[in-house]
Amino acid sequence: MNGVFSAVIALAGIGFGVWAALTFWKAGNFKLKGNKEAFAAAGFGWAEKTPIGVIRVIGFLEVLGAIGVVLAPAAALIPGLEFAQYLAVAAGLGLALTMVGAMVVHQSRGESKYTFKMNFKLFWPAVVAAVAYALVVLPLQF
């Protein structure tokens, strides 16, 4: 039974990981390739006073997390690369922390009533993926 439970949790983690990866991939690429005018047109008020280098770093981290949340579990299937599953947990948590940071920035700017739903929609798939990956990796007994 424990093997079946682990398989179901792993599949759920992969599903939510792919969902998180697709959304963060799109957001990260926009931040990597866009300019200040494109950010303003998209309603990114926070980007107005943020240096373009910081925006690019945020975009890079989002793309890196998107790759890690999908590629790490796949790499963990290769013999000798089982440790990659821990990288999947770290990628999911990193994406979730990115959204916590976004929520803090939006709260400080008074934008939460406009941005909370979108931030939460990006936050929870990353958390579910990280928790599911962690449940598979950690030696828990049910």
Side-chain angles (χ1 to χ4, degrees), residues 20-129:
L22 290 173
T23 56
F24 279 99
W25 179 268
K26 184 177 176 183
N29 272 317
F30 179 66
K31 290 179 184 101
L32 285 173
K33 297 175 182 173
N35 55 28
K36 292 276 191 169
E37 292 78 24
F39 300 143
F44 287 14
W46 60 269
E48 183 179 307
K49 294 182 181 178
T50 305
I52 195 73
V54 172
I55 297 170
R56 299 279 189 251
V57 167
I58 293 169
F60 176 74
L61 292 174
E62 288 176 346
V63 168
L64 191 63
I67 293 169
V69 83
V70 172
L71 189 59
L77 299 174
I78 300 170
L81 293 179
E82 292 84 7
F83 68 90
Q85 191 71 29
Y86 294 101
L87 299 176
V89 176
L93 290 176
L95 291 175
L97 288 174
T98 300
M99 293 318 302
V100 169
M103 289 178 199
V104 168
V105 167
H106 291 303
Q107 179 66 34
S108 71
R109 292 178 47 86
E111 302 169 338
S112 290
K113 63 182 174 182
Y114 308 110
T115 61
F116 181 77
K117 281 177 32 178
M118 181 54 68
N119 286 334
F120 193 72
K121 286 179 185 177
L122 292 170
F123 172 77
W124 79 266
V127 169
V128 171

